[in-house]
Amino acid sequence: LTDDRSFKQARVVYMGAQKCFIAILGQPFRPVLAHVSSNVLGRSGEDRIVVGDHVVAREVIGNNSQFNESTLHVVDRLPRRNVLRRSDIDGRCRLLAANLDLLVVVSCDID
């Protein structure tokens, strides 16, 4: 039996295979682990979640005999302001990050 709590907006700070770390918007920066719902995880190409995406997470309180712990589940991705892409060897675009505030390019000249 679960008790659904409020939905929270967050920013993805690390994206793994099935889990990610998110920072809840409007709170001090403290990344927390979140599970990615299967309907969101199954997205590919431009629709997949990347670092920087703003997402909607739902807090679910578990109720079993030993623990009453909460987990966050990413249930949707909000619209993006911008994206950073690169082309792979086959010429397909690959998303690297979204909603960038600052991009710094560093180069050096080798003699």
Side-chain angles (χ1 to χ4, degrees), residues 93-104:
C93 282
R94 178 177 167 90
L95 290 179
L96 299 177
N99 300 314
L100 299 171
D101 295 323
L102 176 68
L103 178 65
V104 177

Side-chain angles (χ1 to χ4, degrees), residues 36-61:
V36 181
S37 298
S38 58
N39 67 324
V40 177
L41 194 59
R43 298 176 182 174
S44 61
E46 294 281 319
D47 287 333
R48 71 183 185 89
I49 292 179
V50 295
V51 170
D53 271 330
H54 290 173
V55 295
V56 176
R58 184 183 71 197
E59 185 177 20
V60 178
I61 306 286

Side-chain angles (χ1 to χ4, degrees), residues 10-14 20-24 27-34 72:
R11 180 179 271 198
V12 176
V13 295
Y14 171 80
C20 62
F21 280 92
I22 59 175
I24 307 298
Q27 295 183 6
F29 183 79
R30 188 181 63 95
V32 292
L33 182 65
L72 289 170

Side-chain angles (χ1 to χ4, degrees), residues 53-111:
D53 271 330
H54 290 173
V55 295
V56 176
R58 184 183 71 197
E59 185 177 20
V60 178
I61 306 286
N63 186 10
N64 69 33
S65 59
Q66 292 181 334
F67 303 104
N68 189 16
E69 43 183 50
S70 66
T71 57
L72 289 170
H73 294 266
V74 173
V75 295
D76 202 5
R77 179 183 56 81
L78 299 173
R80 295 174 172 145
R81 290 190 328 262
N82 55 52
V83 293
L84 177 64
R85 297 179 181 92
R86 72 165 175 85
S87 295
D88 64 13
I89 198 162
D90 297 327
R92 290 176 290 179
C93 282
R94 178 177 167 90
L95 290 179
L96 299 177
N99 300 314
L100 299 171
D101 295 323
L102 176 68
L103 178 65
V104 177
V105 177
V106 178
S107 74
C108 105
D109 186 23
I110 301 175
D111 292 329

